[in-house]
Amino acid sequence: MELKIFILFMLIVSCGKKELNSIVIPADEATDAEKEILFKALDRIQDEFDGIGVSVNLRSIPYHVATLDSSLAGYCAYRADGSPIGIAINHSVFNYWGSETELHYGPIYKVLLHEIGHCFFGRDHDQEMFSVPGHELGLQLLAGHPEEIRSELELSAMKDYAEPFTAKALWPYYIKEIAGQDRITSLADLRRYVEVTLVP
């Protein structure tokens, strides 16, 4: 069952970036519970940007929860001049909020940060991955927990068809990367955020 959920979100954490001015934000259908989850995540992201000196007002546009195409987690609607109209989030993103753990943020964080990247920072999709040829990466996300083994790591929250969960240890990196303040290019760069061992 866990594998099926993971595969579903590998497909759904994608966004519908369209041609300029070709889409509008749908009517908001958020439940009170969804609003609470969404704005808790949004406020945390705002605090993170504030903490690194990035001047952006994330509440300057509306965030609507709606039933979108099943392949979409969300999208940024924007005008012909590139200014944002608002962000739409698929109801389905909230179905797995409970999957947030002490090690990972749930899907709403990844989806919001991705769409904020489009709307506020003009970011395009970024499929680049970090890896060490001939090795897997053993990430020590939190003391006392087993290493999380990965063959490669997303270099940006702007990856389309991305992993649904975000390691909390790497969250500060993804915030900085979206804002253009950092980019991992080496193992030393990665080790500034998380303890890493190379697994043969």
Side-chain angles (χ1 to χ4, degrees):
M1 181 61 177
E2 289 181 4
L3 178 60
K4 289 180 181 177
I5 290 172
F6 179 75
I7 290 171
L8 170 65
F9 269 102
M10 282 293 285
L11 294 174
I12 203 170
V13 179
S14 61
C15 84
K17 189 165 189 284
K18 306 280 180 90
E19 294 303 317
L20 289 177
N21 212 26
S22 66
I23 53 178
V24 295
I25 188 168
D28 189 23
E29 304 168 353
T31 66
D32 288 343
E34 288 170 338
K35 286 179 183 177
E36 183 179 350
I37 291 166
L38 188 153
F39 289 115
K40 175 185 174 185
L42 188 63
D43 287 345
R44 183 170 289 162
I45 294 170
Q46 180 71 68
D47 288 346
E48 296 280 356
F49 283 132
D50 292 345
I52 60 171
V54 174
S55 180
V56 61
N57 178 9
L58 299 182
R59 294 291 190 115
S60 64
I61 62 170
Y63 297 78
H64 289 184
V65 178
T67 302
L68 306 180
D69 183 281
S70 61
S71 66
L72 298 180
Y75 65 75
C76 165
Y78 54 106
R79 300 177 182 87
D81 65 1
S83 61
I85 297 168
I87 288 175
I89 304 292
N90 199 327
H91 279 293
S92 62
V93 172
F94 296 88
N95 293 341
Y96 297 98
W97 173 254
S99 60
E100 181 182 357
T101 68
E102 62 180 327
L103 298 179
H104 299 90
Y105 284 123
I108 186 61
Y109 285 88
K110 173 71 73 69
V111 173
L112 272 176
L113 188 58
H114 182 106
E115 301 310 335
I116 286 166
H118 286 317
C119 271
F120 289 94
F121 297 96
R123 296 288 304 269
D124 290 323
H125 288 145
D126 183 341
Q127 311 298 353
E128 192 174 352
M129 304 290 282
F130 175 79
S131 63
V132 176
H135 295 84
E136 290 186 307
L137 305 170
L139 307 180
Q140 186 67 59
L141 300 181
L142 189 65
H145 287 261
E147 288 185 332
E148 184 172 296
I149 307 298
R150 299 189 181 190
S151 59
E152 55 186 2
L153 188 71
E154 296 169 3
L155 281 177
S156 177
M158 297 311 299
K159 187 175 187 303
D160 201 16
Y161 292 96
E163 292 182 18
F165 310 107
T166 306
K168 290 181 177 179
L170 291 169
W171 181 250
Y173 163 72
Y174 288 116
I175 291 285
K176 289 180 181 178
E177 197 283 331
I178 286 291
Q181 291 191 356
D182 201 1
R183 182 76 169 187
I184 289 171
T185 60
S186 68
L187 194 57
D189 290 342
L190 178 57
R191 283 176 169 151
R192 285 190 283 112
Y193 295 95
V194 65
E195 188 176 324
V196 185
T197 57
L198 295 182
V199 182

